[in-house]
């Protein structure tokens, strides 16, 4: 959807940026982040047009996450520091929901 939106609305449209970011998150949540590195890269590139939909740090974390899972298992120890560094600026924005927390 984000690629179609970009073709129709252009890269400066905030919806285009949001759709790229959402595509990267959806892939991450479904365990397929390595398959959507393209969406994560594009979300980083489109951050300036996102208009407060997401931050550069959030997009950079998604990209590092996708790249980590695209890395062969044998090499993930070397890739882990980059993911950890990318998580630092955004980790304070995460909320942990436990099974005892009502939804």
């Amino acid at each position: 959807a984000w690629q179609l939106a970009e073709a129709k609305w252009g890269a400066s449209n905030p919806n285009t940026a949001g759709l790229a970011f959402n595509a990267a998150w959806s892939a991450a949540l479904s365990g397929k982040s390595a398959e959507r590195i393209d969406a994560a890269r594009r979300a980083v590139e489109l951050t300036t047009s996102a208009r407060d939909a997401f931050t550069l740090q959030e997009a950079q974390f998604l990209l590092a996450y996708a790249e980590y899972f695209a890395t062969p298992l044998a090499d993930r120890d070397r890739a882990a520091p980059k993911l950890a560094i990318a998580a630092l600026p955004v980790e304070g924005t995460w909320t942990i929901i436990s099974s005892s927390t009502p939804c």
Side-chain angles (χ1 to χ4, degrees):
W2 66 271
Q3 292 167 323
L4 293 174
E6 188 166 350
K8 183 175 183 174
W9 300 325
S12 63
N13 187 298
N15 293 321
T16 300
L19 287 169
F21 187 77
N22 288 343
W25 258 120
S26 294
L29 293 173
S30 65
K32 297 178 180 179
S33 59
E35 296 173 18
R36 293 317 317 242
I37 290 176
D38 57 344
R41 284 188 182 123
R42 198 63 183 136
V44 170
E45 294 167 356
L46 296 173
T47 299
T48 55
S49 63
R51 299 195 188 138
D52 300 324
F54 58 90
T55 67
L56 177 59
Q57 291 82 9
E58 290 169 324
Q60 288 172 329
F61 167 74
L62 275 176
L63 179 55
Y65 187 87
E67 289 173 340
Y68 175 81
F69 284 101
T71 301
L73 286 173
D75 298 327
R76 286 195 183 160
D77 284 348
R78 288 191 296 268
K82 181 178 179 182
L83 177 58
I85 290 168
L88 288 174
V90 296
E91 69 181 343
T93 64
W94 300 336
T95 302
I96 308 271
I97 299 174
S98 70
S99 59
S100 63
T101 304
C103 296

